[in-house]
Amino acid sequence: MSKIKIKVEIINEEERQILDTTGILSNEILKYLEENKTLVLWNYEKNILTRENDEWKMTYLFVPQKKTTGIIKMKDMQRNIKLEIETEKIERKDHDIKIYYLIEGKKYLYQIEEIKWVY
């Protein structure tokens, strides 16, 4: 288990969210906490993104050139919302990852960049 400094971005046509934080990397799973107390897990082996807080849990599976079903579980309503995810491509180098995907025809980019110190 090791701590790494990361920059996370989620970009679509309407907005760009940027987070600089520290993540914990263990067994090819990166964990980090967003500012709104949402726990995020990125599984590098299975390409699964999970985000969870007190209100909901979101699970997305990314498979290049395939359509998959993402699930958002609304905890207080005991209801699941299903979304079709179309993954265009995944680029990975070490712990850096870029995922280009569409949800309901809307383009997204999710990326994690490990911040390495240069002396």
Side-chain angles (χ1 to χ4, degrees), residues 2-79:
S2 60
K3 287 186 178 183
I4 60 172
K5 190 88 172 134
I6 56 173
K7 178 180 178 180
V8 180
E9 292 185 78
I10 301 173
I11 303 168
N12 65 32
E13 296 166 357
E14 298 163 2
E15 65 181 311
R16 179 181 194 154
Q17 298 174 11
I18 300 171
L19 173 66
D20 290 310
T21 189
T22 301
I24 297 171
L25 185 63
S26 177
N27 298 323
E28 286 296 291
I29 296 175
L30 176 66
K31 296 178 187 180
Y32 64 91
L33 196 60
E34 293 179 345
E35 293 166 353
N36 60 0
K37 296 186 181 179
T38 298
L39 176 64
V40 181
L41 298 134
W42 170 253
N43 187 316
Y44 283 98
E45 289 180 358
K46 297 179 181 177
N47 292 328
I48 297 174
L49 174 64
T50 305
R51 298 174 68 217
E52 183 173 10
N53 61 30
D54 292 339
E55 298 168 11
W56 49 264
K57 180 178 181 180
M58 177 194 96
T59 306
Y60 288 179
L61 169 64
F62 297 101
V63 180
Q65 303 299 309
K66 300 276 184 189
K67 291 182 180 179
T68 57
T69 301
I71 297 172
I72 300 173
K73 179 181 182 180
M74 304 305 291
K75 294 180 179 180
D76 59 343
M77 293 184 255
Q78 298 290 318
R79 181 172 176 234

